[in-house]
Amino acid sequence: MPDYSPLETMIRKQIAASGPMPVSRYMQLCLTHPDYGYYLKRDPLGRGGDFITAPEVSQMFGELVGLWAASVWNAMGMPHEVKFIELGPGRGTMMADALRAVRILPAFHEAISVHLVEASPTLREKQREKLAEAAYVEWYDSIDDVPEGPAIILANEFFDAMPIHQAVKQDGGWHERTIEIDDDILAYGIAKDPIPRFEVLLPPVVRAAPNGAIFEWRPDNEIMTIARRLRDQGGAALIIDYGHLRSDAGDTFQAVAKHAFANPLKNAGLADVTAHVDFQALSRAAEDVGARAHGPVEQGAFLNRLGIENRAQALMKGATEDGQKLITAGLARLTGPSPEGMGSLFKVLGVSHPSIETLAALSDHMPGVRA
Ligand code: SAH
């Protein structure tokens, strides 16, 4: 008897009963199935886990995000109450670092209430511990549940965990890519009929792709909910993730386990499965509903404009020799080039109420605030 993960056993039963499933359904089950989903029962972050995110690399990341938020609060006209919303807060590290950094601005600090959208009970518990000192913290299953009001919304490595659809170009059009059972292993397949009127929705560069090309997309509902909320109730969002500035063809569906890439069709529910974020699609969707998009810019440029060098220098002064090495390494990891650095692979997009014309560090014409 082969040894499948419990989720793979379930997926095999579903495919045997109802036929191949779209990649998006497979990805959704892998990440958030209530019993076997990857995120639901474990803390995947950190050295002992599967991957490390920017806030876990260095406290500087969350601190600068906090100062960015303060500049947004200024641009919003310094409201007495502002909802600080984070989507997928992981261990709560970025929020904790941001809140600590903005203590130097008491009027902003006191205006903040914290609202966390988190699917994982395990990570909710970590966030509760990390944010024990915050005056007001509440948790939600979806951004739709967060009460109304002006908001500053943060999402770091959240969108890459939203399920993607994939389509494969064939002679007669684009067909949904599926997961099926082939020779008793999970394998990719192609739906028999093309997706109706799919091509007209595609950017010209994708339309011109050769047969066999793959195009990935995410449903727009999450970004549209954010954009509508900002349009109607004021504020801005900061979306940070790995991905591309322009929509293009390509297969980026991947699994990450123990800090290495793995086959996403193996060990369902036991490895993180993700795909690159299409920032052009996000900003277009946000502008379609009447919000304003800012950027995207590369993470390295964003952090440099916010003054990460100065922050590193300041932290160095009080640090031991080992501490100084960690700060230097953290700075290089956050802002440096691939493959070790996150500076160019990761992109930063702002979305705001249309009356906010510029957001700090996100315009190519503006130097941004200095830490
Ligand atoms: N932002 C954090 C964690 C990134 S990992 C950091 O940078 O360290 C992705 C996060 O999104 C986790 O907290 C995960 O539990 C959460 N998540 C994934 N899918 C989700 C969903 N559909 N709804 C709510 N949270 C989700």
Side-chain angles (χ1 to χ4, degrees):
M1 252 318 256
D3 199 9
Y4 306 129
S5 66
L7 185 61
E8 181 167 344
T9 305
M10 200 207 80
I11 287 170
R12 281 168 173 268
K13 278 193 195 136
Q14 276 195 17
I15 293 175
S18 1
M21 64 171 68
V23 168
S24 64
R25 174 77 183 139
Y26 176 79
M27 184 169 172
Q28 184 195 22
L29 290 170
C30 285
L31 292 178
T32 50
H33 182 278
D35 296 322
Y36 307 125
Y38 175 75
Y39 277 116
L40 289 236
K41 295 274 152 63
R42 64 168 68 69
D43 171 7
L45 295 152
R47 272 173 224 292
D50 287 322
F51 57 94
I52 295 188
T53 56
E56 303 298 332
V57 167
S58 166
Q59 69 185 78
M60 295 187 285
F61 188 81
E63 290 170 349
L64 291 172
V65 166
L67 296 177
W68 177 89
S71 81
V72 172
W73 180 67
N74 260 306
M76 291 163 71
M78 299 191 252
H80 290 301
E81 285 181 17
V82 62
K83 296 196 162 58
F84 215 2
I85 304 174
E86 187 175 353
L87 311 177
R91 290 178 169 177
T93 307
M94 182 168 90
M95 183 55 82
D97 291 340
L99 290 174
R100 191 183 59 250
V102 302
R103 275 175 189 274
I104 56 169
L105 297 160
F108 177 42
H109 194 255
E110 278 155 30
I112 290 174
S113 57
V114 176
H115 304 262
L116 305 177
V117 176
E118 175 56 65
S120 160
T122 311
L123 290 174
R124 281 188 184 200
E125 204 37 57
K126 298 247 163 175
Q127 293 153 18
R128 196 184 306 279
E129 287 163 22
K130 192 60 89 48
L131 297 168
E133 283 173 28
Y136 181 98
V137 188
E138 198 51 71
W139 281 265
Y140 310 87
D141 292 332
S142 154
I143 187 169
D144 298 312
D145 305 330
V146 181
E148 290 189 358
I152 298 173
I153 304 173
L154 308 174
N156 186 59
E157 290 211 40
F158 176 74
F159 277 88
D160 68 86
M162 297 291 108
I164 49 152
H165 289 264
Q166 290 188 325
V168 186
K169 189 172 180 184
Q170 305 277 279
D171 270 338
W174 293 79
H175 298 240
E176 179 115 36
R177 200 180 194 202
T178 57
I179 311 289
E180 56 182 37
I181 300 170
D182 187 7
D183 242 356
D184 204 41
I185 56 168
L186 289 187
Y188 292 109
I190 297 176
K192 192 158 115 313
D193 296 319
I195 307 168
R197 289 179 295 283
F198 189 67
E199 205 150 88
V200 296
L201 301 170
L202 292 175
V205 50
V206 180
R207 227 176 290 160
N211 276 2
I214 290 175
F215 180 67
E216 299 174 341
W217 78 98
R218 291 182 167 84
D220 284 335
N221 38 1
E222 202 81 28
I223 183 66
M224 284 169 109
T225 304
I226 293 171
R228 277 197 209 101
R229 178 181 178 121
L230 297 171
R231 177 198 67 193
D232 296 341
Q233 298 166 39
L238 189 69
I239 296 167
I240 309 175
D241 227 307
Y242 51 105
H244 32 276
L245 296 173
R246 310 231 155 268
S247 304
D248 208 345
D251 176 9
T252 71
F253 187 44
Q254 64 189 23
V256 177
K258 301 280 165 229
H259 305 274
F261 292 119
N263 180 348
L265 303 192
K266 291 249 165 75
N267 300 320
L270 303 178
D272 186 27
V273 284
T274 74
H276 282 204
V277 172
D278 179 346
F279 279 89
Q280 188 174 10
L282 287 183
S283 55
R284 188 184 304 121
E287 291 197 324
D288 278 353
V289 302
R292 193 188 287 265
H294 307 259
V297 303
E298 293 183 348
Q299 175 171 301
F302 176 73
L303 294 175
N304 284 330
R305 290 174 188 180
L306 291 174
I308 194 167
E309 291 269 359
N310 291 348
R311 184 68 192 127
Q313 292 298 333
L315 286 173
M316 293 278 222
K317 288 200 183 107
T320 61
E321 205 172 309
D322 282 352
Q324 292 185 349
K325 279 191 194 137
L326 282 176
I327 294 162
T328 310
L331 178 64
R333 181 97 187 262
L334 290 177
T335 62
S338 306
E340 289 84 17
M342 308 167 80
S344 53
L345 176 60
F346 280 72
K347 314 291 189 297
V348 187
L349 174 71
V351 177
S352 76
H353 187 274
S355 69
I356 302 180
E357 285 176 19
T358 50
L359 288 177
L362 287 176
S363 151
D364 282 328
H365 311 291
M366 206 189 112
V369 297
R370 291 267 149 211

